[in-house]
Amino acid sequence: MKLAVAFLATIGATAAFAPAANTVARTSALNMVQQLDLKTGQSQLDTSVVDRFNALPYPDDKVLAEYVWVDAKGECRSKTRTLPVARTEAVDKLPRWNFDGSSTDQAPGDDSEVILRPCRIFKDPFRPRADGLDNILVMCDTYTPAGEAIPTNTRAIAAKAFEGKEDEEVWFGLEQEFTLFNLDQRTPLGWPKNGVPNRAQGPYYCSAGPENSFGRAVTDAMYRCCLYAGLEISGTNGEVMPGQQEYQIGPCVGIDAGDQLFMSRYILQRVCEEFQVYCTLHPKPIVEGDWNGAGMHTNVSTKSMREAGGLDIIKQAIYKLGAKHQEHIAIYGEGNELRLTGKFETASMDEFSFGVANRGASVRIGRDTEAEGCGYFEDRRPSSNADPYLVTGKIMATIMEDIEVPEIAPLDRAEA
């Protein structure tokens, strides 16, 4: 189910674990597995050993806080600290922390301290408790010791675009596509090793059956973790290419869309770690053959777009997006030129277009929005590895700008 449904609903989405033969009698997590094994599905450590330690109770006056931040490559890093319960009751009570920025390409070695500023709290699905308390995940952004946002702090950039525009009540819904591979990082789930599926894409989208659906257990586990954490995850589905999956975050208001999308990516990677499956957000992980790429379609709706006459506001916003097409393309993800070719449900990145129910357009208006005269639009250009802070902030800055722009004819009708 695509996020369009969520928008409209809101407006009106055994043997592998056997120990190797040895003379050591005691149970050990290390002698239960082969080190550096790259077999998908095998746990890093024997689960019965791990569960023995996970069963130990937590102190009733302390909470584990996993501080999560975005590194120089746009990937999530994290580390854990112990905090008194009282310090975790609200985000403004959480202490700031620091990390070695020289190890994440975010600071030089001779001045490597980067400050973590807590921005958002979620429940930790990987360390559940039975004592009425919650361990937490903390989404952070990054600063110098002097208090200046470091260059890779894209949240600070987005925050400026949203500042002072709270009355717009802008909703974002982000459709995160991703591709699951075996740990060789070459073979997507469901693909033969060193080969390709014997059927073209088509039967895999929203499918069922062992010959069609690959990775459902991973996606379902991620779904449950996101719900437990308190994220606004509104659905999942199998995608067009075998081994490709999607989930949807939102609707979320303003900067919260970026916070939640990045935290969902962190949770996805942690789940894949448990399943020993490699996950990539590359927008075109398979370039040979007729296979879809992966995107982060971004659904947008301001308060005025959801009210009577909103379709005209939507069109004006789309015209503004068209006028700044190349500026948006520049920050809509790396490798996007491999995906935005005008084929496989994409528009060419070289020119801007929009249409009603047209998945070959840069921006799509849904049939329901057209019929009701209000609702939302979908920007289909962002790639699956795009930075959600940059994407949502740039869209907000563009559609709020007070400028005159020419109308753009829709692709599929004389009037859209």
Side-chain angles (χ1 to χ4, degrees):
M1 178 184 294
K2 293 290 186 179
L3 199 63
V5 175
F7 258 100
L8 293 173
T10 312
I11 295 170
T14 63
F17 295 100
N22 57 68
T23 58
V24 180
R26 64 185 178 86
T27 300
S28 164
L30 294 180
N31 65 32
M32 295 293 282
V33 296
Q34 298 175 4
Q35 295 302 294
L36 302 180
D37 203 336
L38 294 182
K39 292 183 179 179
T40 296
Q42 284 194 349
S43 175
Q44 288 280 13
L45 301 174
D46 180 73
T47 55
S48 65
V49 176
V50 175
D51 288 346
R52 203 168 68 204
F53 297 104
N54 284 342
L56 295 173
Y58 291 100
D60 59 9
D61 61 341
K62 293 181 173 61
V63 164
L64 299 187
E66 190 79 14
Y67 279 47
V68 180
W69 73 94
V70 182
D71 69 12
K73 294 182 179 179
E75 298 175 354
C76 290
R77 307 282 187 117
S78 72
K79 61 178 187 172
T80 315
R81 70 182 304 175
T82 306
L83 293 173
V85 173
R87 295 296 301 270
T88 66
E89 293 172 349
V91 71
D92 57 358
K93 292 185 177 182
L94 290 169
R96 297 190 178 195
W97 205 9
N98 63 76
F99 67 92
D100 171 18
S102 68
S103 296
T104 63
D105 293 327
Q106 292 174 288
D110 59 356
D111 188 13
S112 65
E113 189 168 290
V114 178
I115 306 302
L116 292 170
R117 182 183 72 99
C119 299
R120 186 76 154 77
I121 295 175
F122 302 93
K123 291 170 61 176
D124 188 344
F126 305 105
R127 296 180 176 126
R129 304 173 63 143
D131 59 358
L133 297 174
D134 293 308
N135 292 316
I136 59 174
L137 303 176
V138 184
M139 194 69 224
C140 304
D141 62 354
T142 46
Y143 293 83
T144 67
E148 298 177 354
I150 65 173
T152 58
N153 183 351
T154 55
R155 189 185 192 276
I157 297 172
K160 291 179 181 178
F162 292 113
E163 188 176 7
K165 299 180 178 65
E166 291 78 13
D167 291 345
E168 295 293 337
E169 297 178 17
V170 60
W171 295 353
F172 291 100
L174 306 176
E175 303 176 20
Q176 178 67 70
E177 295 177 340
F178 58 96
T179 310
L180 299 174
F181 281 70
N182 288 269
L183 283 182
D184 61 7
Q185 300 185 27
R186 295 174 56 87
T187 311
L189 295 195
W191 291 50
K193 191 171 184 178
N194 299 320
V196 297
N198 57 14
R199 294 176 300 156
Q201 60 184 25
Y204 312 106
Y205 173 68
C206 295
S207 64
E211 76 280 16
N212 295 322
S213 181
F214 312 104
R216 186 191 301 274
V218 175
T219 304
D220 282 356
M222 182 276 308
Y223 198 170
R224 290 284 295 270
C225 285
C226 286
L227 288 171
Y228 181 91
L231 274 71
E232 294 294 336
I233 183 169
S234 52
T236 67
N237 59 268
E239 264 302 331
V240 176
M241 190 184 85
Q244 190 182 80
Q245 299 280 325
E246 178 190 303
Y247 64 90
Q248 302 92 37
I249 292 291
C252 298
V253 178
I255 197 75
D256 194 42
D259 290 341
Q260 294 208 30
L261 198 282
F262 264 124
M263 186 56 75
S264 74
R265 286 180 178 177
Y266 173 77
I267 290 173
L268 173 61
Q269 293 292 354
R270 288 286 301 272
V271 168
C272 287
E273 180 183 327
E274 295 289 337
F275 279 90
Q276 289 293 276
V277 171
Y278 172 69
C279 174
T280 180
L281 299 183
H282 193 283
K284 195 70 172 180
I286 303 296
V287 295
E288 296 182 2
D290 295 333
W291 305 104
N292 273 32
M296 189 188 72
H297 301 155
T298 301
N299 300 271
V300 185
S301 179
T302 63
K303 183 179 179 181
S304 58
M305 292 177 187
R306 299 188 292 272
E307 296 173 344
L311 185 56
D312 289 336
I313 306 298
I314 290 172
K315 288 182 180 180
Q316 286 298 319
I318 292 173
Y319 302 155
K320 292 177 183 179
L321 291 173
K324 296 197 171 185
H325 175 60
Q326 292 304 327
E327 291 183 22
H328 283 255
I329 289 295
I331 55 95
Y332 272 12
E334 294 186 13
N336 215 9
E337 71 280 357
L338 300 173
R339 166 180 165 263
L340 294 182
T341 62
K343 301 178 180 179
F344 309 115
E345 301 184 60
T346 71
S348 170
M349 70 185 302
D350 295 327
E351 56 186 41
F352 181 86
S353 60
F354 87 98
V356 176
N358 190 332
R359 285 179 165 78
S362 305
V363 174
R364 180 181 68 89
I365 295 175
R367 291 287 187 204
D368 289 338
T369 293
E370 180 194 34
E372 296 178 11
C374 61
Y376 71 100
F377 67 86
E378 175 193 45
D379 190 339
R380 298 179 57 81
R381 297 170 295 171
S383 69
S384 48
N385 61 8
D387 183 323
Y389 292 134
L390 291 180
V391 170
T392 58
K394 182 63 174 176
I395 290 174
M396 187 66 176
T398 296
I399 66 175
M400 291 292 109
E401 194 169 0
D402 186 14
I403 56 173
E404 292 291 330
V405 293
E407 293 188 10
I408 301 172
L411 279 183
D412 48 353
R413 286 189 178 187
E415 280 187 279

